[in-house]
Amino acid sequence: MRPPRPSRPTFSFASKFLAAFALVLCGNAAVAQNIGINTDGSAPVASAMLDIKATDRGLLIPRLTTTQRLGILTPAQGLVVYDITSNSFWYYNGTAWVEIG
């Protein structure tokens, strides 16, 4: 007769999911220092957090009315929007909205 097998600990689905999620987060934190969006597969420029490259498309900035822009409660310094009421770009300098050009 064989001796009984030692019991193995059982892990719930939730604990397995959390462990896998933690591994994914750790892996992304170690690898994703900057992001490149392009169609040619090139690496992002090392000094850029976000590097967007295209020869046939542009970057679409968020479009708001003046009322919507002024309704942003705590805009971040450097926030840029396109105001469709004034048909111009605006950025927030930390204390006030400033029209660009």
Side-chain angles (χ1 to χ4, degrees), residues 23-92:
L23 287 173
V24 169
L25 284 180
C26 291
N28 283 343
V31 175
Q33 300 301 315
N34 52 1
I35 297 171
I37 300 173
N38 57 58
T39 57
D40 63 3
S42 61
V45 174
S47 62
M49 180 61 89
L50 175 63
D51 181 6
I52 303 172
K53 185 190 323 181
T55 57
D56 61 343
R57 296 179 187 162
L59 174 66
L60 190 57
I61 300 295
R63 301 160 312 272
L64 291 80
T65 64
T66 299
T67 303
Q68 290 170 326
R69 176 175 55 82
L70 296 175
I72 300 172
L73 296 178
T74 53
Q77 184 175 357
L79 183 67
V80 176
V81 299
Y82 183 79
D83 188 315
I84 59 176
T85 306
S86 65
N87 290 322
S88 57
F89 288 95
W90 291 76
Y91 77 94
Y92 191 74

